[in-house]
Amino acid sequence: MSRGARCRGPCGRSAGGRLVAVSRGDGRLNHELLPDEKGPQDACGVFGVWAPGEEVAKLTYFGLYALQHRGQESAGIAVSNGSQILVYKDMGLVAQVFDESHLSALLGHLAIGHCRYSTTGSSVWENAQPTFRATATGSIALGHNGNLTNTGELAKLVDELVAERGELNLPGTPRLRSTSDTDLLTTLLASHPDVSLEAAALAVLPKLRGAYSLVWMDESTLYAARDPQGIRPLVLGKLERGWVVASETAALDIVGASVVREVEPGELLAIDEHGLRSRRFADPAPKGCLFEFVYLARPDTSISGRSIHAARLEMGRRLALEAPVEADLVIPVPESGTPAAIGYSQASGIPFGQGLVKNSYVGRTFIQPSQTIRQLGIRLKLNPLRQVIQGKRLVVVDDSIVRGNTQRALIRMLREAGAAEVHVRISSPPVKWPCFYGIDFASPAELVANGLTVDQIRASIGADSLAYISLDELVEATTIAAERLCQACFTGEYPVALPDPEFLGKHVLEGMERAITADVDGLAALVGGAGAADALKRP
Ligand code: SF4
């Protein structure tokens, strides 16, 4: 392919070596299989590697595999051989998008990878990442985890550049009319013809607001950067013959890289034949995402030096001390509730057991479920072990309640399977506020904790008792100082300016009035109503 060329759309390699179109799923059924049961979704996972002599596309593939939980709608890899960047991306899971022939064609010494869940924009091929842009001197490919909150401002900047200089219409670069924050960012980085990409990044990054853990590349250099709050994780690792950056330490483990350190909030890294350079583009003001500790990150990942598994165990222990109950057995809602359930069992002395078996792969299908199959609901995902739970007073430990539909169906299933009592314990406080920094919860109107008391939620889900861990105990369990954590989905106190009003209305507060202000009081007025009032009446 020509310099900077990319494969447009789903491609496969024919016997003659020519790329030909093949049909793919649209990636959406991962969630649409059971739309009412969807949990919080992370925006994305990112991975980058600079390692001459290594199979960088395959390393990236395995890195993305370890980050698949962070984005399951599309996946992509960009590789450079020093003179051209080749991007391959498509809808679907990492293993559905790539096979041996694709990876074998992606040759080079430098690669980035991305797996995406769409928090803004549709789940379509055009929005899959890495994004790609031609520049005056070459090309750029970029992957982004997080959500920018000043997309409107950035769009104006791009328009001004186009009006002033007209130089964004570079060969191979379509005229930009996108509201995708990542596409805008890529365009801004690509629009400085007179300076290096590194210098352009130092000029552009301070203009961004919100959450961004970025990996990007030109033909010769791997770059990584993290927003001044460090909301989403990003770590640096070392290979014997190169460097790796990834959303989580678990992705370093899988490719045999040792953890060097976290990319600092407000830091830009550049890695090339001259080694690793670190530049600071903003003063750090750490506000890491608390929900990464509760649910989002893998248990075998560490954030800020704290093991996620150890933090979740501790959440369970503290929950047991805060909300004890007489019971015969502690069971987790697998798999995310498992460490906290073990902790609850340890602190309470109530035996731990596996009362539910998870069918791990059912949500990973592209097969359209019929209405009959949809009606099976949670049974598609979880199956009770009758002999374990029959006649028992159960403590059921889960990480969070979003809509409450999952817990309601689960409790009904456990009672049908013979449970004598069902006491629900949750290892996070009630989620009441939307996330603007890259996590897709339900809309505020759907959040069951938004407008209901804990006892009303208990009644809604049909539990004998319900208790949440307190925010203070949750924060203690992380061992991170409270002032260094974003807790906004629990408190409504947002550490970074909220998005422009039109983006609140368009992407987050769907179905609500669009004439809103972006201050927290205004938001409170919108989301503080009885948004979940009908939860008491739900079947
Ligand atoms: S609002 Fe919640 S999910 Fe979003 S970054 Fe803050 S703590 Fe994380």
Side-chain angles (χ1 to χ4, degrees):
M1 286 200 178
S2 63
R3 176 183 171 84
R6 64 178 174 173
C7 168
R8 282 206 56 92
C11 299
R13 190 167 286 276
S14 69
R18 196 166 49 84
L19 288 172
V20 296
V22 295
S23 62
R24 292 269 187 208
D26 63 7
R28 297 178 64 83
L29 292 181
N30 292 307
H31 303 307
E32 289 183 352
L33 182 65
L34 298 170
D36 293 339
E37 317 293 341
K38 193 173 86 171
Q41 302 293 319
D42 205 318
C44 302
V46 294
F47 187 90
V49 54
W50 188 92
E54 301 286 353
E55 292 182 294
V56 291
K58 287 190 179 168
L59 289 174
T60 306
Y61 172 83
F62 286 112
L64 291 181
Y65 227 111
L67 298 171
Q68 184 75 86
H69 61 290
R70 298 185 74 88
Q72 298 163 11
E73 291 186 350
S74 64
I77 294 177
V79 173
S80 171
N81 59 8
S83 61
Q84 68 170 21
I85 293 176
L86 185 62
V87 182
Y88 186 91
K89 58 186 182 180
D90 206 348
M91 306 309 297
L93 299 168
V94 176
Q96 291 167 320
V97 170
F98 294 100
D99 62 23
E100 184 72 37
S101 67
H102 302 129
L103 295 172
S104 306
L106 292 169
L107 297 173
H109 68 285
L110 161 62
I112 64 168
H114 188 270
C115 50
R116 179 174 194 260
Y117 170 75
S118 51
T119 49
T120 59
S122 317
S123 180
V124 294
W125 185 89
E126 285 73 13
N127 284 337
Q129 295 182 28
T131 54
F132 177 87
R133 294 251 143 202
T135 70
T137 53
S139 43
I140 171 174
L142 180 142
H144 173 200
N145 175 207
N147 251 27
L148 300 181
T149 57
N150 63 335
T151 310
E153 245 172 74
L154 300 176
K156 273 188 212 141
L157 270 181
V158 169
D159 281 347
E160 281 164 20
L161 280 168
V162 171
E164 281 170 24
R165 302 193 268 176
E167 69 210 11
L168 303 188
N169 296 318
L170 296 159
T173 304
R175 177 81 162 84
L176 188 85
R177 280 290 163 204
S178 169
T179 54
S180 151
D181 51 358
T182 310
D183 214 4
L184 288 168
L185 168 58
T186 315
T187 301
L188 285 172
L189 286 172
S191 64
H192 290 260
D194 308 328
V195 298
S196 69
L197 187 52
E198 198 169 328
L202 287 169
V204 168
L205 293 174
K207 296 188 169 74
L208 310 180
R209 299 286 175 271
Y212 51 96
S213 283
L214 303 168
V215 293
W216 75 99
M217 62 193 278
D218 55 22
E219 281 77 2
S220 59
T221 307
L222 170 67
Y223 299 91
R226 200 168 169 213
D227 59 78
Q229 289 71 35
I231 292 174
R232 298 276 145 248
L234 191 65
V235 288
L236 173 69
K238 185 88 178 77
L239 290 166
E240 205 173 309
R241 291 191 288 178
W243 298 92
V244 179
V245 284
S247 294
E248 296 190 27
T249 59
L252 302 186
D253 297 338
I254 200 171
V255 299
S258 55
V259 179
V260 176
R261 62 175 175 86
E262 302 204 334
V263 178
E264 296 287 326
E267 184 183 24
L268 164 68
L269 292 180
I271 300 166
D272 59 20
E273 58 188 357
H274 305 298
L276 179 139
R277 297 182 295 284
S278 165
R279 308 285 296 271
R280 199 158 268 300
F281 64 87
D283 290 334
K287 290 283 181 191
C289 171
L290 179 55
F291 212 73
E292 293 275 354
F293 286 91
V294 171
Y295 170 78
L296 299 169
R298 283 172 58 130
D300 52 345
T301 277
S302 293
I303 295 179
S304 300
R306 176 62 160 159
S307 148
I308 298 294
H309 179 75
R312 289 177 187 164
L313 270 180
E314 186 60 22
M315 288 169 206
R317 291 192 198 108
R318 287 171 183 264
L319 182 56
L321 298 177
E322 274 200 316
V325 63
E326 279 199 21
D328 306 309
L329 191 68
V330 178
I331 67 166
V333 177
E335 292 153 356
S336 52
T338 302
I342 293 170
Y344 194 101
S345 167
Q346 288 172 348
S348 65
I350 303 169
F352 172 88
Q354 292 285 358
L356 294 159
V357 176
K358 184 173 182 182
N359 183 359
S360 299
Y361 301 101
V362 75
R364 307 284 185 264
T365 175
F366 282 112
I367 306 300
Q368 178 72 50
S370 67
Q371 190 53 31
T372 316
I373 291 172
R374 274 185 206 276
Q375 281 166 0
L376 290 170
I378 198 162
R379 284 177 192 280
L380 283 170
K381 281 188 172 175
L382 295 171
N383 208 14
L385 279 168
R386 283 180 174 72
Q387 16 340 10
V388 173
I389 61 180
Q390 204 149 33
K392 300 264 175 45
R393 296 170 299 170
L394 301 177
V395 181
V396 179
V397 180
D398 206 348
D399 54 81
S400 55
I401 299 181
V402 179
R403 294 174 179 80
N405 295 341
T406 302
Q407 286 78 12
R408 189 176 304 111
L410 184 65
I411 291 165
R412 188 186 304 137
M413 187 170 75
L414 290 169
R415 290 198 195 282
E416 283 168 10
E421 294 174 14
V422 183
H423 302 275
V424 176
R425 295 293 179 269
I426 304 296
S427 63
S428 65
V431 175
K432 293 186 175 177
W433 302 82
C435 175
F436 297 97
Y437 311 133
I439 305 303
D440 185 21
F441 290 116
S443 72
E446 294 171 300
L447 292 171
V448 73
N450 183 19
L452 296 189
T453 64
V454 172
D455 194 54
Q456 285 174 317
I457 299 168
R458 180 204 60 73
S460 160
I461 62 176
D464 292 292
S465 75
L466 167 67
Y468 295 83
I469 195 172
S470 67
L471 185 58
D472 286 348
E473 292 296 323
L474 169 59
V475 169
E476 287 284 325
T478 68
T479 70
I480 313 289
E483 60 273 17
R484 295 171 73 91
L485 289 167
C486 173
Q487 308 163 33
C489 47
F490 307 119
T491 64
E493 290 163 23
Y494 291 92
V496 182
L498 294 181
D500 308 333
E502 66 265 37
F503 288 99
L504 274 176
K506 190 171 177 185
H507 294 298
V508 181
L509 304 178
E510 285 169 13
M512 294 188 173
E513 288 294 323
R514 295 192 62 181
I516 57 175
T517 55
D519 62 85
V520 171
D521 288 345
L523 192 65
L526 276 170
V527 303
D534 76 318
L536 292 171
K537 300 179 219 141
R538 286 176 200 164

